């Protein structure tokens, strides 16, 4: 009865960010090679601003080792990973400049408010978006991308993130960009998937888990999102959607682990209130290029800053 007492149970490893990237994590990371990630957020037609950002980064010789995308960021990210060259960016610019609302959001026989009362899973089919992706992404399977790509969707069964790192790229991007109510959900085995932005619109957490040491974040919205009051019911729904998903990004920026530098490029509120309007694409692409120039200048003058392009000021 007086034998050696049993050893206490082993403590479960701390798999939180602070556990993975605390003092010991920082020492481990110091021995890892540098890894640069591009994180492309969702944002609907405002995704044109990312095209300008990508073009400016490519022309400056800044390359991604890994790309992580959500929603329209998955669309643009896949195009970048197919051809991360100036020529590839010119094709992407041409695609956006020539997009029209009916190309991506085709109108059915029912127009106006009646389309919201139809008994179908979405207002628009995704056939138009599928065609855009097929023309703009020059590989069939995600694992064949020139730059490793991952895109996120949201499971309607359990609300979790569903990440695609292999498989047919068009279906994966369609799932990631399936805005609830706008485009139909996508089936993936026994799961049903919608827009990845619902759970992780700016997936810096995925880039950190992959070991990224430098993360370039390409937002479609301003860093502090204060939208105008919507004039139409659907626009109010989409505005509330983007406000909610933006808040997670703000929280995660406050929890960055040591040894990681994040450079944030933000969009401007230049897009029309109409979610089908691509008329501002050219202007937004120029704004994206200007934003990269501005923020990289800040990064050069603040080389020791771990977070560039972001301010806590509203």
């Amino acid at each position: 009865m007086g034998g050696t007492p049993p050893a206490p149970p082993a403590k479960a490893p701390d798999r939180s960010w602070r556990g993975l990237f605390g003092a010991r994590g920082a020492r481990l990371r110091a021995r890892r090679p540098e890894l640069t990630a591009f994180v492309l957020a969702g944002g609907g037609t405002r995704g044109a601003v990312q095209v300008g950002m990508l073009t400016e980064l490519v022309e400056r010789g800044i390359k991604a080792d890994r790309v992580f995308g959500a929603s329209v960021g998955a669309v643009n990210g896949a195009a970048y990973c197919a051809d991360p060259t100036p020529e590839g960016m010119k094709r992407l610019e041409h695609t956006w400049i020539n997009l029209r609302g009916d190309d991506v959001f085709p109108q059915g026989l029912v127009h106006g408010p009646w389309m919201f009362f139809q008994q179908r899973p979405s207002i628009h089919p995704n056939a138009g978006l599928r065609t855009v992706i097929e023309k703009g992404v020059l590989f069939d399977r995600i694992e064949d991308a020139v730059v490793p790509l991952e895109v996120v969707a949201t499971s309607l069964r359990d609300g979790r993130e569903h990440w695609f790192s292999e498989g047919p790229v068009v279906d994966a991007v369609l799932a990631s960009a399936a805005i609830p109510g706008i485009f139909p959900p996508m089936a993936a085995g026994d799961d049903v998937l919608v827009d990845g932005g619902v759970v992780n619109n700016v997936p810096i957490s995925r880039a950190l888990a992959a070991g990224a040491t430098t993360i370039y974040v390409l937002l479609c919205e301003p860093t502090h999102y204060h939208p105008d009051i919507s004039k139409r019911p659907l626009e109010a729904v989409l505005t509330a959607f983007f406000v909610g998903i933006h808040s997670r990004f703000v929280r995660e920026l406050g929890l960055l682990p040591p040894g990681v530098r994040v450079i944030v490029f933000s969009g401007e509120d230049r897009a029309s209130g109409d979610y089908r309007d691509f008329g501002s694409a050219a202007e937004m692409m120029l704004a994206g290029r200007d934003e990269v120039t501005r923020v990289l200048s800040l990064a050069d003058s603040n080389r020791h800053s771990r977070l560039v392009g972001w301010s806590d000021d509203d």
Side-chain angles (χ1 to χ4, degrees):
M1 301 299 290
T4 303
K11 184 178 179 181
D14 182 358
R15 300 193 181 278
S16 67
W17 283 12
R18 295 192 183 279
L20 289 171
F21 302 106
R24 178 174 175 272
R27 291 193 296 271
L28 291 173
R29 288 179 62 80
R31 297 195 292 269
R32 293 181 183 178
E34 293 291 319
L35 190 150
T36 298
F38 287 1
V39 171
L40 285 79
T45 57
R46 289 178 172 84
V49 75
Q50 293 177 336
V51 180
M53 294 171 181
L54 287 169
T55 300
E56 188 68 23
L57 289 169
V58 167
E59 290 183 359
R60 288 171 176 263
I62 298 174
K63 302 177 181 178
D65 299 308
R66 302 281 294 274
V67 173
F68 304 89
S71 198
V72 72
V75 178
N76 289 329
Y80 169 85
C81 290
D83 188 2
T85 67
E87 292 73 22
M89 295 304 95
K90 284 184 173 64
R91 279 194 296 273
L92 184 57
E93 288 178 344
H94 183 268
T95 296
W96 273 90
I97 289 174
N98 289 280
L99 279 178
R100 300 295 179 264
D102 283 341
D103 296 334
V104 180
F105 306 103
Q107 298 276 16
L109 297 176
V110 179
H111 297 282
W114 296 108
M115 64 184 179
F116 297 102
F117 296 96
Q118 301 174 91
Q119 292 187 354
R120 59 182 187 182
S122 64
I123 298 172
H124 304 285
N126 62 13
L129 180 58
R130 177 181 287 275
T131 298
V132 170
I133 298 169
E134 288 174 344
K135 289 181 178 179
V137 179
L138 307 179
F139 56 93
D140 294 327
R141 296 184 64 82
I142 297 175
E143 56 267 37
D144 296 331
V146 175
V147 179
L149 169 70
E150 294 188 46
V151 302
V152 64
T154 301
S155 170
L156 282 182
R157 297 203 181 278
D158 57 20
R160 296 182 182 178
E161 298 174 20
H162 184 114
W163 280 94
F164 292 93
S165 57
E166 60 182 18
V169 66
V170 174
D171 288 345
V173 174
L174 281 174
S176 184
I179 304 172
I182 302 296
F183 291 126
M186 291 288 292
D190 294 332
D191 211 346
V192 180
L193 306 174
V194 294
D195 195 301
V198 173
V199 288
N200 200 352
N201 194 52
V202 192
I204 56 174
S205 55
R206 188 74 172 185
L208 289 168
T213 54
T214 301
I215 303 173
Y216 292 91
V217 177
L218 285 66
L219 300 178
C220 298
E221 309 286 354
T223 52
H224 295 282
Y225 184 45
H226 300 298
D228 294 331
I229 300 300
S230 302
K231 297 179 181 179
R232 300 176 180 87
L234 179 58
E235 290 163 13
V237 171
L238 291 176
T239 295
F241 173 69
F242 287 123
V243 167
I245 59 183
H246 191 72
S247 63
R248 172 172 174 171
F249 171 59
V250 176
R251 291 194 303 271
E252 290 188 342
L253 281 181
L255 297 171
L256 287 178
V260 176
R261 195 180 199 206
V262 176
I263 299 172
V264 181
F265 306 121
S266 61
E268 296 186 18
D269 196 11
R270 292 174 177 263
S272 164
D274 183 353
Y275 73 94
R276 300 178 69 251
D277 186 0
F278 290 90
S280 301
E283 182 183 4
M284 294 181 72
M285 283 188 278
L286 289 174
R289 295 185 68 129
D290 290 343
E291 173 68 358
V292 170
T293 299
R294 181 187 74 84
V295 174
L296 290 184
S297 178
L298 291 174
D300 286 341
S301 61
N302 298 277
R303 293 183 179 275
H304 299 293
S305 175
R306 294 176 50 238
L307 182 59
V308 182
W310 175 269
S311 171
D312 290 328
D313 298 333
D314 288 327

